[in-house]
C-alpha cells in the first residue's frame, strides 16, 4: 500500500494544527477569571495567524472549541461564544491584510446564533483570499468527523447501483473524501500547548502520520520564538511513513 504522501525530509509544514490549551491555568496563576485567559488566548490566535502567514505556512487549523467543551460550566461556554461573536469581526481587516481565507471545521449549526453568524460572515467576506487558510475548529471532534464520514459513505452505498464495487473500492485514500477534510491538506505538524500529551479528539484521521509537538508553554504565553522552536524541531524530523531511512536516501 502506498504512503499518504511521498516520504520527505520535513521542511516548512504545509498544514499546522494547534491545540491551543492552557488558557484556564494561565488565568488561575494570575488570579484572573478563566474568561480573561480565553481573551488573552484569542490575542495569541490572532498573532499566530500572522506569524504563520509570514512564514509561508499554507493552512493553519486552530482548535478553538471541542465537541466535549460543551460540558464546561454554562457561564464559561457562553463567555467563549460571545468572545467569538465580538472578536472575530474585529479581525477582518487583519485577515484581508494577510490574505487569510477563513474556513470552519466542525458543526457550527449548534453554536449560538450571534457566534454562528460572525463565523459565517467572516468566511464569506474572506472567501476570495488566497494567502493562507485559517481553519477554525469549532464544535469539532475527530471521532464525530469519522462517524459522519461513515454515514456519508453508507448513504452513498444505499443509493448506488453497484454497492459491492463501491465497498471494494473503499481505501484509506478514498475515505478521506467522505470526511470533512476533503479540501484540507494532511496535517503535517500538530502542536499542543499547555503541557498535556494527548490529542483530545483533534484531527484524528490525520494524526496517523502528523508529527506531534508538545510544549509546556500555556497558550496565552505562546510566542513567535515558541512557534519557531516547534518548526525547527519539525524540520529536524525524518518522515518515514513506515519506510526505512535507507529507502528515503535513495
Ligand atoms: C483551552 O484552554 C481553551 C479551550 C478549551 C476553549 P483551557 O480552557 O482548556 O485551559 P486549561 O487547560 O484549563 O488551562
Ligand atoms: C482541547 O483542550 C480542546 C481545545 C483546545 C479547544 P481541552 O482542555 O478541552 O482538553 P482536555 O480536556 O484537557 O483533554
Ligand atoms: Mg485545557
Amino acid at each position: 500500500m502506498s504512503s499518504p504522501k511521498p516520504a520527505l525530509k520535513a521542511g516548512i509544514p504545509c498544514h499546522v494544527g494547534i491545540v491551543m490549551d492552557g488558557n484556564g491555568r494561565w488565568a488561575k496563576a494570575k488570579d484572573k477569571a478563566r474568561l480573561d485567559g480565553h481573551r488573552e488566548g484569542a490575542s495569541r490566535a490572532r498573532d499566530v495567524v500572522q506569524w504563520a502567514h509570514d512564514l509561508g505556512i499554507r493552512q493553519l487549523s486552530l482548535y478553538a472549541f471541542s465537541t466535549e467543551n460543551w460540558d464546561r460550566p454554562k457561564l464559561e461556554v457562553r463567555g467563549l461564544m460571545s468572545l467569538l461573536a465580538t472578536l472575530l469581526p474585529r479581525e477582518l481587516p487583519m485577515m484581508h491584510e494577510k490574505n487569510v481565507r477563513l474556513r470552519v471545521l466542525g458543526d457550527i449549526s449548534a453554536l449560538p446564533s450571534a457566534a454562528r453568524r460572525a463565523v459565517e460572515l467572516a468566511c464569506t467576506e474572506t472567501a476570495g483570499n488566497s494567502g493562507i487558510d485559517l481553519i477554525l475548529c469549532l464544535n469539532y471532534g475527530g471521532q464525530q468527523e469519522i462517524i459522519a464520514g461513515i454515514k456519508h459513505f453508507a448513504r452513498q452505498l444505499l443509493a448506488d447501483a453497484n454497492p459491492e464495487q463501491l465497498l471494494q473500492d473503499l481505501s484509506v485514500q478514498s475515505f478521506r473524501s467522505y470526511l470533512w477534510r476533503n479540501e484540507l491538506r494532511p496535517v503535517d505538524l500538530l502542536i499542543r500547548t499547555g503541557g498535556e500529551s494527548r490529542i483530545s479528539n483533534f484531527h484524528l484521521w490525520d494524526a496517523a502520520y502528523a508529527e506531534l509537538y508538545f510544549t509546556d508553554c500555556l497558550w496565552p504565553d505562546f510566542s513567535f520564538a515558541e512557534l519557531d522552536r516547534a518548526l525547527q524541531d519539525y524540520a529536524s524530523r525524518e518522515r518515514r511513513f513506515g519506510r526505512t531511512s535507507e529507502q528515503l536516501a535513495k
Side-chain angles (χ1 to χ4, degrees), residues 116-209:
R116 195 187 64 241
R117 275 199 306 271
V119 173
E120 285 168 348
L121 184 72
C123 286
T124 311
E125 287 267 320
T126 62
N129 292 344
S130 56
I132 180 171
D133 285 339
L134 167 61
I135 300 116
L136 216 45
C137 305
L138 289 165
N139 189 23
Y140 173 75
Q143 292 172 327
Q144 287 76 357
E145 180 187 3
I146 291 169
I147 296 272
I150 293 169
K151 288 184 180 176
H152 183 181
F153 177 72
R155 252 180 245 114
Q156 211 145 308
L157 208 58
L158 291 169
D160 201 89
N162 191 353
E164 186 55 39
Q165 191 60 52
L166 199 61
L167 201 54
Q168 291 274 330
D169 291 344
L170 186 65
S171 66
V172 167
Q173 283 74 23
S174 69
F175 188 64
R176 192 179 177 85
S177 69
Y178 294 95
L179 297 169
W180 297 335
R181 54 196 55 244
N182 212 5
E183 290 173 46
L184 298 187
R185 296 163 190 253
V187 177
D188 297 302
L189 172 62
L190 201 160
I191 298 172
R192 182 178 185 137
T193 63
E196 312 289 358
S197 304
R198 58 176 171 258
I199 294 181
S200 297
N201 210 9
F202 195 36
H203 282 314
L204 287 189
W205 188 260
D206 283 349
Y209 267 105

Side-chain angles (χ1 to χ4, degrees), residues 20-26 34 38 63-66 69 72 76 80 192 194 196 218-219:
M20 307 181 292
D21 194 27
N23 296 349
R25 280 163 285 162
W26 180 91
R34 289 184 63 87
H38 293 315
Y63 206 6
F65 193 85
S66 76
N69 288 147
R72 291 195 175 196
E76 180 169 350
L80 279 164
R192 182 178 185 137
E196 312 289 358
L218 302 173
W219 177 249

